[in-house]
């Protein structure tokens, strides 16, 4: 009995001695992790770019319960190498051309480390003043780089906030628009609210509509065609709005896209805003991928007319070298967000908030808690500067142009839709498929290209994804920062 008690006391002593934030152990393990990641990036090309594992692979490799006793970091990192890395699709590989760029950077990594290290929960100003104030400053910096109208900046009565993703940005602005209208016409009219976007708009719009309580049948995905490069037609938008008004519905929200997911098509922002404003419709511009390019003067014209919009967002974690997650949202009327999203429980009341001299970002988002995302965006902006960031984006566009030229030189392939930024949509041409199969219709051509892409990705040497444009299956070649290494 005494022996059992002694062992029990020893375990209690061990638990008491554990310091989860011991500075020297943090230093030792931190150096180990940095070395591990540096070696990973140095040799990333040795891995199949798309993971080749089968579903459920990890459960056969790891225990079915957590360890009772501590395990050394060396053992854990060996398991990362042996078991986790095989299940990773390597988004930072120079052979990754899929989905969208997730252009990480040293500054992005280090900013994330500093943010995580401080581990502040900056839901309101008083909970960490620096977190709030740095975010407000950085969002105005970035807005000026994009030449946004002053009305979107804090200095002009608007303001910016860092969300997690575009899904959150669209949801928050949609809720703000919804409540503005319902406060005027009555909450029961929610069943009459209508949302508009093109059939190329991101699925985040439809998800936001569902969460916000919009009837599914009141979601308008307006068809696009190759004739207008799959952009949203202002005439079709106005026709849809008028049809809804005739039957007593209430046009509420338009999401126009600068850089659609399938092909980086750009909707005519100014013309669409003009139509929407005639009917009191909130206009949100989703520039998740392509918005970052607009810091370059030669691409700024893609958001011409933005002065007619109510809100604008882009993902710095896609093409702005800021590690996931970091979605930048600017609004002309912060009060619209605040009125729709704020709560003020007693335990959060404080003198600073009641002075109305500070920003409480908890009222600009869905969740209460929030991370110190501004730290990594600040490090990116300061570490690289505007000129270098512009040149990096230009280098990606140049690489895409080069690839587009190679496709154009090979008669077996064709570019399906005009390239705007750093993504090329191409396919094996119908004539080449016909030569191979002795017959071809669009369905056969699509299946041929689908099989080709599966075969390419199956090699593990390169990874691309697909889209469907007007019934045509296309292969998407998306360039990011890591891709430069493979052609340099």
């Amino acid at each position: 009995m005494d022996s059992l008690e002694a062992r029990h006391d020893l375990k209690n002593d061990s638990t008491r001695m554990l310091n989860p934030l011991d500075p020297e152990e943090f230093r030792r393990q931190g150096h180990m992790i940095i070395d591990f990641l540096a070696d990973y990036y140095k040799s990333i090309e040795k891995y199949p770019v798309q993971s080749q594992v089968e579903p459920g692979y990890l459960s056969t490799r790891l225990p079915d319960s957590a360890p009772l006793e501590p395990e050394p970091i060396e053992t854990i990192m060996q398991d990362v190498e042996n078991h986790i890395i095989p299940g990773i699709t390597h988004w930072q590989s120079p052979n990754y051309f899929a989905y969208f760029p997730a252009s990480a950077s040293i500054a992005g990594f280090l900013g994330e480390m500093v943010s995580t290290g401080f581990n502040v929960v900056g839901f309101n100003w008083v909970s960490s003043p620096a977190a709030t104030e740095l975010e407000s400053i950085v969002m105005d910096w970035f807005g000026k780089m994009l030449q946004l109208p002053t009305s979107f900046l804090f200095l002009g009565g608007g303001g910016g906030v860092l969300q997690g993703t575009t899904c959150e940005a669209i949801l928050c602005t949609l809720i703000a628009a919804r409540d503005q209208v319902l406060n005027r016409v009555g909450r029961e009219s929610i069943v009459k609210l209508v949302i508009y976007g093109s059939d190329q708009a991101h699925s985040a719009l439809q998800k936001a509509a569902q969460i916000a309580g919009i009837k599914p049948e009141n979601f308008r995905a307006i068809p696009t065609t190759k004739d207008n490069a799959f952009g949203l037609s202002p005439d079709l938008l106005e026709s849809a709005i008028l049809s809804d008004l005739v039957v007593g519905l209430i046009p509420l929200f338009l999401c126009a896209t600068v850089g659609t997911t399938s092909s980086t098509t750009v909707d005519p922002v100014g013309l669409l805003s003009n139509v929407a404003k005639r009917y009191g419709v909130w206009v949100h511009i989703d520039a998740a991928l392509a918005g970052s390019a607009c810091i370059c003067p030669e691409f700024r014209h893609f958001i011409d007319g933005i002065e007619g919009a109510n809100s604008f967002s882009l993902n710095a974690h896609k093409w702005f070298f800021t590690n996931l997650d970091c979605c930048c949202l600017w609004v002309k009327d912060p009060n619209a967000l605040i009125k729709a999203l704020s709560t003020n429980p007693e335990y959060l009341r404080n003198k600073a908030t009641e002075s109305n001299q500070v920003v409480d970002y908890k009222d600009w988002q869905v969740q209460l808690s929030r991370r110190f995302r501004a730290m990594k965006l600040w490090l990116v902006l300061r570490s690289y500067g505007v000129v270098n960031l512009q040149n990096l984006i230009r280098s990606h566009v140049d690489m895409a142009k080069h690839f587009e030229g190679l496709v154009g030189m090979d008669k077996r392939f064709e570019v399906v839709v005009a390239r705007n930024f750093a993504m090329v949509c191409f396919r094996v041409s119908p004539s080449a498929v016909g030569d191979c199969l002795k017959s071809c219709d669009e369905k056969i051509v699509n299946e041929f290209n689908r099989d080709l892409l599966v075969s390419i990705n199956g090699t593990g040497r390169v990874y691309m994804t697909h889209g469907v444009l007007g019934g045509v299956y296309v292969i998407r070649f998306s360039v990011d920062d890591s891709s430069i290494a493979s052609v340099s």
Side-chain angles (χ1 to χ4, degrees):
M1 187 69 174
D2 290 343
S3 176
L4 286 173
E5 288 176 353
R7 287 201 298 271
H8 181 71
D9 289 343
L10 184 62
K11 284 187 177 181
N12 284 343
D13 288 342
S14 175
T15 301
R16 282 194 296 270
M17 287 188 293
L18 177 64
N19 179 0
L21 283 177
D22 176 77
E24 294 310 313
E25 187 59 19
F26 174 60
R27 191 188 315 276
R28 183 185 77 84
Q29 295 190 26
H31 281 296
M32 184 183 299
I33 297 294
I34 291 293
D35 286 342
F36 174 84
L37 289 173
D39 289 341
Y40 165 74
Y41 279 105
K42 189 173 182 180
S43 60
I44 194 171
E45 288 183 79
K46 75 179 183 183
Y47 302 110
V49 59
Q50 183 186 23
S51 174
Q52 304 294 301
V53 301
E54 296 295 327
Y57 90 101
L58 197 55
S59 62
T60 66
R61 299 190 181 200
L62 298 183
D64 59 5
S65 59
L68 293 176
E69 302 296 336
E71 295 183 83
I73 188 66
E74 292 82 359
T75 300
I76 298 170
M77 294 311 297
Q78 190 60 56
D79 282 351
V80 171
E81 178 72 46
N82 294 338
H83 306 315
I84 303 301
I85 285 183
I88 291 177
T89 290
H90 302 279
W91 283 61
Q92 304 306 314
S93 169
N95 300 313
Y96 178 95
F97 303 101
Y99 298 115
F100 55 82
S103 50
S105 66
I106 293 172
F109 277 124
L110 297 182
E112 186 70 52
M113 287 175 63
V114 175
S115 172
T116 302
F118 287 140
N119 200 32
V120 303
V121 186
F123 41 74
N124 58 10
W125 180 89
V126 75
S127 66
S128 268
T132 294
E133 296 195 14
L134 184 63
E135 186 163 333
S136 300
I137 290 168
V138 164
M139 289 302 288
D140 267 11
W141 279 11
F142 201 174
K144 290 176 183 177
M145 291 167 61
L146 292 161
Q147 300 178 51
L148 294 184
T150 305
S151 54
F152 279 104
L153 308 181
F154 283 101
L155 60 88
V161 57
L162 292 175
Q163 306 276 358
T165 67
T166 295
C167 297
E168 296 170 44
I170 293 177
L171 176 60
C172 289
T173 53
L174 174 55
I175 289 173
R178 179 199 68 185
D179 282 12
Q180 274 191 338
V181 170
L182 294 183
N183 288 339
R184 187 176 71 248
V185 301
R187 306 298 294 187
E188 67 281 359
S189 293
I190 191 171
V191 296
K192 299 179 180 180
L193 302 181
V194 185
I195 293 177
Y196 305 87
S198 82
D199 59 4
Q200 299 299 310
H202 195 277
S203 59
L205 178 60
Q206 187 167 8
K207 177 178 282 192
Q210 292 172 196
I211 296 171
I214 306 301
K215 291 177 66 176
E217 56 266 36
N218 288 0
F219 179 85
R220 306 284 180 261
I222 298 172
T224 60
T225 66
K226 189 173 183 178
D227 291 341
N228 62 355
F230 301 100
L232 177 55
S233 162
D235 290 340
L236 290 182
L237 171 65
E238 185 156 30
S239 177
I241 290 174
L242 291 172
S243 296
D244 288 328
L245 288 170
V246 166
V247 295
L249 297 177
I250 303 173
L252 172 70
F253 188 90
L254 164 68
C255 182
T257 309
V258 175
T260 57
T261 301
S262 293
S263 64
T264 64
T265 285
V266 177
D267 290 337
V269 171
L271 295 175
L272 292 170
S273 295
N274 291 340
V275 171
K277 286 305 171 185
R278 284 201 286 273
Y279 303 98
V281 173
W282 181 296
V283 179
H284 178 75
I285 308 300
D286 169 20
L289 168 62
S292 297
C294 296
I295 67 169
C296 301
E298 65 269 32
F299 299 123
R300 173 57 177 76
H301 67 92
F302 285 116
I303 57 172
D304 283 355
I306 194 172
E307 61 274 5
N310 300 82
S311 52
F312 171 76
S313 65
L314 64 83
N315 287 345
H317 59 248
K318 285 185 175 174
W319 204 7
F320 206 72
F321 317 99
T322 308
N323 298 37
L324 190 73
D325 54 359
C326 190
C327 174
C328 303
L329 169 66
W330 290 269
V331 292
K332 280 184 177 178
D333 181 10
N335 284 329
L337 284 180
I338 294 167
K339 288 177 181 177
L341 299 170
S342 67
T343 54
N344 294 291
E346 180 61 37
Y347 53 79
L348 293 182
R349 294 183 183 277
N350 63 87
K351 186 176 180 180
T353 295
E354 291 169 2
S355 74
N356 292 319
Q357 295 179 331
V358 300
V359 173
D360 284 345
Y361 274 126
K362 70 178 180 62
D363 300 329
W364 295 47
Q365 61 179 28
V366 172
Q367 65 272 36
L368 171 64
S369 299
R370 64 194 326 270
R371 301 174 61 239
F372 196 172
R373 294 188 184 99
M375 179 60 69
K376 57 187 173 184
L377 186 55
W378 189 50
L379 260 70
V380 167
L381 290 170
R382 294 192 62 189
S383 296
Y384 304 125
V386 177
V387 172
N388 280 326
L389 291 167
Q390 289 172 332
N391 287 336
L392 280 167
I393 287 170
R394 289 174 178 134
S395 68
H396 302 172
V397 174
D398 287 343
M399 183 178 173
K401 285 181 181 178
H402 177 65
F403 181 78
E404 182 182 38
L406 295 175
V407 172
M409 291 167 56
D410 191 326
K411 294 182 180 179
R412 296 172 299 173
F413 296 92
E414 65 177 7
V415 175
V416 177
V417 64
R419 179 198 53 76
N420 286 320
F421 300 101
M423 187 168 73
V424 179
C425 294
F426 72 104
R427 67 170 178 168
V428 177
S429 68
S431 60
V433 174
D435 289 343
C436 292
L437 302 179
K438 306 303 180 187
S439 66
C440 70
D441 57 23
E442 202 61 62
K443 181 178 179 181
I444 291 173
V445 176
N446 285 348
E447 290 175 352
F448 188 95
N449 280 278
R450 184 181 298 110
D451 292 343
L452 174 64
L453 181 58
V454 169
S455 176
I456 291 171
N457 290 340
T459 68
R461 296 176 60 190
V462 68
Y463 184 35
M464 295 179 287
T465 48
H466 77 280
V468 176
L469 299 169
V472 174
Y473 185 98
V474 299
I475 300 172
R476 300 164 66 258
F477 178 91
S478 177
V479 177
D480 71 7
D481 189 54
S482 58
S483 308
I484 301 299
S486 67
V487 293
S488 61

